[in-house]
């Protein structure tokens, strides 16, 4: 029986690794040591504190002669700035830097909300200012209320542009946003049971929803209309373009009638009535809980999990009026999350998800303390040379993930496309990008495409010297490193395989011991670096490291 009861035993290293990987983008030995010995409940609760971003605002260091700098807080009109694609990339750099420098659920949940309310930063969201406001909206509600976000997102300038709702008028309806709102963002379709009837809603409901959303417009200058709760710029309501008639929904929504309104404030009330109607459906709560399960636990499950995990979580979500934290903390503290609720070895949860390129990059950089330029003191090299030219333009694309820019409004296939789901991250098309990440960071140059300086460095010798307790013993060195990097402990055959990168085949272990001790004595790391570079490259590119 799958169980949401809290895990009673303290976290060991295996379970601490599982929680830290699944709940954050920061993965370090020091944080693992903090979690080991804590209860799951205490460890999860420690991740729920909201704190200010380490990096307050993105910066554009270009053009070098007169940088646009903190362009997002400029009083100039958004469309006066050039390089909008570059600037949107810089915003993802800002978001990622905060994500790997804060041990918090906030960033994992913010990205989860992106997978629920998808926009493409380079495929319709508009100017960089509006993408920035969109990201901040997701961040604001990452530890908050999904239903409230589902209301606020309708006046988000980026979303208004991305799904064309700014063009939705009473005499010229545009159903794009209404369709995706029901099909992808909230209740989802369900099984098709007839022409235009998808169980959870009908084509009639899409038409009526489009009328509710009519007249909601993008505001280009970001001045004047500020949301009182989030303090973020929002769009506006053109009352003359809003359909003021009553909206009658299908039996899927109990034939509810939403009374049409004719002032800006009452039209917001109309939106509120619509969202409340959608979120009153049990199917909406279950849709979000299934997404949360797929995001945090594993991509597929059986009827037992549906009955014992998904359904109770959806009831908890409804009982808490769609506050996300009670559901997530219950799930991440549960026996089920740590695979401690049964003895079935075929349904393992730990190590069951293939890492996204975002998770892969974040883990490598945080675990190995990769040195890259400080955005506060060396903005040009961080934003432009390291992140834009290497991470954003080369690594993510080669690894099969354009960050905040999925191919379609459905999002990244890993989170919705059955039967492969997260296996979509790992294919013949993405291998080079994944495998050459560690090599590029060790060399300090882009090895995926032409050999440019990336202004980042992974020091393998420092990692082993500072993080591994027994570096002079090749067996213990490999075992301790594997215990940090992999979900599960490796066996003797794998240790012997990796040991060939330290000790030539047929030679005794003391050859490495002597080599390491020589380095400690004379501080010449030439030989140990060569060996450790190849070892850690092999360990990061091994199948075990692709899983979490």
């Amino acid at each position: 029986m799958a169980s949401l009861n809290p895990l009673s035993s303290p976290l060991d290293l295996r379970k601490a690794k599982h929680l830290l990987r699944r709940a954050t983008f920061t993965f370090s030995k020091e944080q693992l040591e903090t979690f080991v010995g804590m209860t799951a409940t205490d460890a999860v609760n420690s991740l729920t504190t909201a704190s200010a971003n380490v990096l307050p605002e993105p910066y554009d260091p270009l053009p070098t002669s007169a940088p646009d700098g903190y362009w997002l807080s400029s009083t100039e009109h958004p469309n006066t700035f050039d390089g909008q694609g570059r600037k949107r990339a810089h915003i993802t750099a800002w978001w990622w830097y905060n994500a790997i420098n804060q041990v918090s659920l906030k960033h994992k949940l913010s990205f989860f909300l992106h997978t629920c309310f998808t926009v493409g930063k380079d495929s319709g969201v508009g100017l960089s200012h509006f993408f920035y406001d969109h990201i901040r909206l997701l961040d604001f509600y990452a530890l908050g209320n999904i239903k409230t976000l589902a209301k606020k997102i309708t006046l988000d300038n980026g979303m208004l542009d991305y799904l064309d709702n700014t063009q939705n008028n009473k005499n010229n309806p545009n159903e794009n946003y209404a369709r995706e709102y029901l099909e992808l963002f909230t209740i989802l379709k369900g099984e098709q049971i007839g022409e235009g009837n998808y169980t959870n809603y009908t084509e009639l409901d899409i038409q009526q929803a489009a009328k509710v959303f009519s007249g909601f417009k993008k505001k280009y200058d970001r001045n004047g209309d500020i949301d009182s709760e989030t303090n973020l710029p929002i769009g506006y309501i053109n009352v003359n373009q809003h359909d003021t008639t009553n909206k009658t929904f299908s039996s899927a929504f109990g034939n509810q009638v939403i009374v049409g309104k004719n002032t800006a404030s009452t039209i917001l009330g109309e939106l509120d009535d619509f969202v409340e109607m959608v979120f009153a459906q049990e199917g909406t709560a279950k849709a979000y809980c299934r997404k949360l399960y797929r995001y945090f636990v594993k991509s597929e499950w059986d009827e037992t999990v549906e009955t014992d995990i998904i359904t109770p979580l959806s009831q908890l979500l409804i009982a808490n009026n769609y506050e996300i934290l009670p559901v997530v903390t219950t799930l991440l503290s549960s026996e089920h999350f740590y695979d401690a609720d049964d003895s079935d070895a075929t349904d393992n949860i730990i190590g069951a998800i293939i890492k996204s390129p975002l998770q892969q990059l974040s883990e490598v950089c945080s675990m190995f303390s990769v040195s890259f330029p400080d955005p506060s003191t060396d903005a040009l090299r961080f934003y432009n040379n390291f992140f834009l030219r290497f991470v954003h333009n080369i690594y993510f694309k080669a690894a099969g993930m354009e960050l905040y820019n999925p191919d379609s409004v459905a999002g990244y296939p890993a989170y919705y496309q059955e039967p492969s789901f997260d296996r979509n991250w790992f294919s013949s098309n993405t291998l080079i990008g994944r495998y050459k990440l560690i090599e590029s960071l060790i060399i300090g140059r882009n090895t995926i495409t032409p050999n440019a300086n990336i202004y980042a460095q992974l020091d393998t010798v420092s990692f082993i010297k500072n993080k591994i307790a027994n570096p002079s013993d090749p067996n213990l060195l490999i075992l301790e490193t594997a215990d940090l990097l992999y979900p599960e402990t490796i066996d003797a055959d794998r240790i012997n395989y990796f040991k060939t990168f330290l000790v030539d085949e047929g030679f005794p272990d003391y050859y490495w011991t002597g080599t390491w001790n020589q380095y400690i004595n004379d501080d010449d790391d030439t030989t140990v670096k060569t060996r450790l570079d190849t070892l850690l490259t092999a360990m990061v590119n091994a199948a075990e490291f692709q899983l979490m």
Side-chain angles (χ1 to χ4, degrees):
M1 179 176 177
S3 172
L4 283 172
N5 291 332
L7 183 74
S8 58
S9 59
L11 297 180
D12 56 16
L13 178 61
R14 177 174 179 261
K15 293 182 175 67
K17 287 186 291 186
H18 179 58
L19 173 61
L20 194 60
R21 277 195 173 100
R22 298 290 180 91
T24 80
F25 289 111
T26 302
F27 190 73
S28 68
K29 180 182 180 182
E30 291 74 19
Q31 188 58 42
L32 286 172
E33 291 172 344
T34 299
F35 276 3
V36 170
M38 293 178 70
T39 66
T41 300
D42 287 345
V44 172
N45 286 341
S46 75
L47 300 174
T48 62
T49 302
S51 56
N53 284 328
V54 176
L55 194 63
E57 187 178 349
Y59 185 90
D60 187 359
L62 297 176
T64 53
S65 57
D68 286 335
Y70 296 109
W71 83 100
L72 293 162
S73 55
S74 169
T75 57
E76 293 186 45
H77 195 283
N79 65 12
T80 63
F81 292 95
D82 294 328
Q84 289 294 325
R86 178 185 76 239
K87 286 176 166 61
R88 288 190 294 268
H90 290 344
I91 292 167
T92 64
W94 161 81
W95 181 88
W96 176 75
Y97 186 85
N98 286 317
I100 67 163
N101 279 287
Q102 291 179 301
V103 186
S104 171
L105 259 168
K106 171 186 168 183
H107 304 287
K108 259 300 169 64
L109 282 171
S110 177
F111 197 78
F112 167 75
L113 293 175
H114 164 59
T115 70
C116 296
F117 299 92
T118 304
V119 303
K121 71 177 177 63
D122 299 319
S123 54
V125 79
L127 299 171
S128 57
H129 297 70
F130 305 125
F131 174 58
Y132 178 56
D133 294 339
H134 177 82
I135 294 297
R136 290 194 294 162
L137 180 63
L138 300 183
D139 280 359
F140 188 90
Y141 288 105
L143 302 175
N145 194 285
I146 302 176
K147 182 165 65 175
T148 304
L149 172 61
K151 296 174 184 177
K152 305 283 187 180
I153 203 81
T154 301
L155 274 167
D156 173 66
N157 283 302
M159 183 63 79
L160 281 164
D161 217 19
Y162 180 64
L163 287 178
D164 307 316
N165 201 68
T166 195
Q167 301 169 25
N168 179 19
N169 303 319
K170 64 179 180 181
N171 295 323
N172 187 22
N174 186 307
E175 297 177 358
N176 284 0
Y177 179 60
R179 182 175 300 280
E180 308 305 2
Y181 193 92
L182 294 174
E183 181 178 340
L184 300 174
F185 295 173
T186 56
I187 196 169
L188 311 187
K189 272 186 176 182
E191 300 258 340
Q192 183 164 358
I193 58 176
E195 183 68 28
N197 187 340
Y198 310 110
T199 303
N200 290 336
Y201 62 87
T202 69
E203 285 294 321
L204 169 67
D205 296 317
I206 292 172
Q207 295 163 12
Q208 299 303 299
K211 292 179 181 180
V212 172
F213 296 140
S214 62
F216 286 69
K217 302 295 181 183
K218 181 174 182 176
K219 188 172 180 62
Y220 283 87
D221 63 7
R222 292 174 83 228
N223 295 320
D225 290 300
I226 303 294
D227 181 75
S228 59
E229 182 176 0
T230 64
N231 202 35
L232 294 172
I234 56 175
Y236 70 100
I237 297 171
N238 185 328
V239 176
N240 293 329
Q241 294 296 332
H242 179 71
D243 189 318
T244 60
T245 64
N246 293 348
K247 290 83 179 175
T248 303
F249 290 83
S250 75
S251 59
F253 296 103
N255 302 114
Q256 183 166 336
V257 177
I258 293 178
V259 178
K261 303 294 173 39
N262 57 12
T263 67
S265 60
T266 57
I267 289 168
L268 281 176
E270 192 179 325
L271 170 66
D272 188 78
D273 291 343
F274 170 75
V275 174
E276 291 290 338
M277 178 188 75
V278 173
F279 278 74
Q281 311 305 310
E282 185 180 2
T284 302
K286 283 194 172 183
Y288 283 117
C289 289
R290 289 177 185 129
K291 287 182 178 182
L292 282 166
Y293 191 90
R294 183 166 290 122
Y295 187 78
F296 282 110
V297 185
K298 62 189 304 186
S299 61
E300 296 173 287
W301 56 90
D302 58 20
E303 283 303 314
T304 299
V305 169
E306 182 73 20
T307 301
D308 296 341
I309 304 296
I310 303 295
T311 298
L313 287 177
S314 66
Q315 293 166 349
L316 183 62
L317 188 59
I318 292 169
N320 284 277
N321 197 28
Y322 285 87
E323 288 289 332
I324 197 170
L325 272 184
V327 172
V328 174
T329 55
T330 296
L331 179 61
L332 299 186
S333 304
S334 70
E335 292 177 336
H336 181 71
F337 178 71
Y338 297 97
D339 213 4
D341 55 357
D342 64 49
S343 57
D344 185 353
T346 66
D347 69 344
N348 289 338
I349 286 169
I350 295 177
I353 293 179
I354 294 176
K355 295 172 188 171
S356 70
L358 172 61
Q359 186 72 27
Q360 184 106 344
L361 171 73
S362 302
E363 279 193 29
V364 168
C365 287
S366 53
M367 174 56 75
F368 291 105
S369 302
V370 171
S371 172
F372 52 79
D374 185 333
S376 299
T377 58
D378 195 356
L380 180 64
R381 285 180 172 169
F382 171 75
Y383 284 104
N384 200 55
N385 297 88
F386 170 64
F387 198 89
L388 176 65
R389 293 183 179 176
F390 175 62
V391 174
H392 181 274
N393 291 354
I394 303 299
Y395 163 69
F396 276 135
K397 290 184 179 181
M401 180 186 201
E402 292 198 36
L403 187 60
Y404 283 102
N405 195 48
D407 289 342
S408 73
V409 67
Y412 309 94
Y415 300 117
Y416 74 87
Q417 192 173 85
E418 55 183 329
S420 295
F421 292 111
D422 53 290
R423 293 187 292 276
N424 280 293
W425 292 130
F426 200 83
S427 70
S428 57
N429 294 326
T430 64
L431 285 178
I432 292 178
R434 291 179 79 98
Y435 284 174
K436 285 191 173 289
L437 172 65
I438 181 74
E439 178 183 287
S440 296
L441 291 171
I442 287 173
I443 295 172
R445 303 189 74 83
N446 172 16
T447 63
I448 301 172
T449 55
N451 196 21
N453 191 339
I454 63 173
Y455 295 95
Q457 197 74 55
L458 192 165
D459 189 335
T460 59
V461 179
S462 291
F463 170 76
I464 295 298
K465 183 179 180 180
N466 297 325
K467 308 293 185 181
I468 303 303
N470 298 285
S472 64
D473 183 324
N475 298 287
L476 292 177
L477 182 158
I478 291 165
L479 184 60
E480 290 173 31
T481 302
D483 277 344
L484 290 177
L485 299 183
Y486 300 156
E488 305 286 9
T489 299
I490 60 174
D491 60 22
D493 286 344
R494 290 300 275 166
I495 292 174
N496 288 332
Y497 165 72
F498 288 124
K499 193 163 63 174
T500 62
F501 295 98
L502 296 180
V503 181
D504 290 335
E505 194 169 356
F507 283 78
D509 291 353
Y510 64 72
Y511 272 77
W512 170 256
T513 304
T515 301
W516 180 262
N517 289 337
Q518 173 106 19
Y519 153 65
I520 294 298
N521 290 332
D522 62 20
D523 204 31
D524 182 353
D525 68 359
T526 304
T527 303
V528 295
K529 175 173 170 49
T530 300
R531 299 272 175 163
L532 291 174
D533 285 353
T534 56
L535 170 67
L536 292 182
T537 298
M539 294 188 78
V540 167
N541 287 340
E544 293 93 333
F545 190 73
Q546 312 310 311
L547 302 173
M548 68 175 190

